Amino acid sequence: MITASLRIRLPEDAWVAEVSRSFPSATFRLLSGVRTGDRAVELGEVVAENPREVSGAIATHPSIEAHERLAVTDDRSLSKYETIETALYEFVESASLPPEFPIVVRAGWYELDFTGTRDEFDGLRAMLEGANLRYELQSLVEADETATLLTDRQRATLEAALREGYFEVPRECTLDTVAGTLGVDESTVSGVLRRGQAKLVKWHLTGADGDRLD
């Protein structure tokens, strides 16, 4: 599993690019959004020294059809608005790996987080390069997908069974041997092994991680 953060340059004529370039120290957060035909309804937050001014610039932009300021403080504003620009949603629908909310915009750049497989991430990069979109990879972390799949007890039991040769053909030890190594009874080892093996098989075949019960 991969977790990645990218910066993607916004089109010059995108409304949020224009407003964010006008207020380069402000941070825009798209908290949620949905496309409805040729419009998009969004919930957005602005963090700035002058949130009312920034919110006003959003409300009066030609691409904003409707705007409702829901809350405002000294350093932030929360608004619901409708826009005629839907390019973000077209990108999300075509991407092999959709971004996670919130989506951040600063000074004409999207800042996006993605979580998925290596193949999905490679597909995303190929799409960005094919569309000639300028982007910068900020971070990429590749984690062992089984690290959080098994409980500590299941992992320890499976490792002991593997180490003792329980999974060899023919088997080189019995459940009683594994139980003695761990200092528990045979029935406990049997149950923990079965649940651990079931999780690994299910994850390998379907990608589902199941629960984390012993």
Side-chain angles (χ1 to χ4, degrees):
M1 189 67 66
I2 285 176
T3 300
S5 295
L6 281 78
R7 295 177 75 229
I8 301 176
R9 185 69 176 178
L10 281 156
E12 295 296 315
D13 58 351
W15 76 261
V16 70
E18 294 177 355
V19 177
S20 66
R21 286 196 301 269
S22 298
F23 300 92
S25 63
T27 297
F28 300 77
R29 291 194 181 97
L30 176 58
L31 305 178
S32 65
V34 61
R35 182 165 70 167
T36 57
D38 60 354
R39 300 285 190 277
V41 178
E42 300 179 343
L43 180 67
E45 179 187 52
V46 172
V47 180
E49 294 180 357
N50 48 349
R52 289 183 182 274
E53 184 180 353
V54 181
S55 177
I58 295 173
T60 58
H61 193 281
S63 293
I64 302 299
E65 295 281 285
H67 183 277
E68 179 185 2
R69 185 182 294 153
L70 303 176
V72 64
T73 65
D74 291 340
D75 65 350
R76 67 189 60 218
S77 174
L78 178 67
S79 301
K80 177 183 177 182
Y81 48 87
E82 183 177 315
T83 175
I84 60 174
E85 292 184 11
T86 60
L88 171 63
Y89 302 92
E90 293 162 9
F91 167 78
V92 168
E93 290 168 5
S94 61
S96 58
L97 192 60
E100 301 168 4
F101 287 102
I103 294 173
V104 175
V105 173
R106 291 189 180 95
W109 288 79
Y110 275 134
E111 297 178 8
L112 305 167
D113 293 328
F114 300 86
T115 301
T117 65
R118 165 62 70 175
D119 286 345
E120 289 172 331
F121 182 70
D122 289 344
L124 172 67
R125 295 185 71 169
M127 188 198 77
L128 292 172
E129 290 165 4
N132 292 319
L133 290 173
R134 181 181 170 190
Y135 72 94
E136 298 173 358
L137 180 61
Q138 300 295 98
S139 67
L140 187 149
V141 177
E142 191 161 3
D144 177 6
E145 293 187 63
T146 66
T148 59
L149 180 66
L150 301 171
T151 65
D152 292 342
R153 189 181 195 186
Q154 288 167 349
R155 182 177 290 277
T157 302
L158 284 163
E159 287 175 348
L162 182 64
R163 186 170 58 249
E164 296 296 327
Y166 181 76
F167 297 117
E168 296 297 325
V169 181
R171 284 178 175 162
E172 298 176 357
C173 75
T174 64
L175 277 176
D176 187 58
T177 303
V178 180
T181 300
L182 296 169
V184 297
D185 61 76
E186 185 176 335
S187 63
T188 297
V189 167
S190 177
V192 174
L193 275 180
R194 282 188 285 104
R195 285 189 287 273
Q197 289 174 277
K199 283 186 179 182
L200 289 174
V201 170
K202 183 178 180 182
W203 167 77
H204 181 74
L205 294 178
T206 69
D209 60 6
D211 53 48
R212 288 206 12 111
L213 299 176
D214 263 347

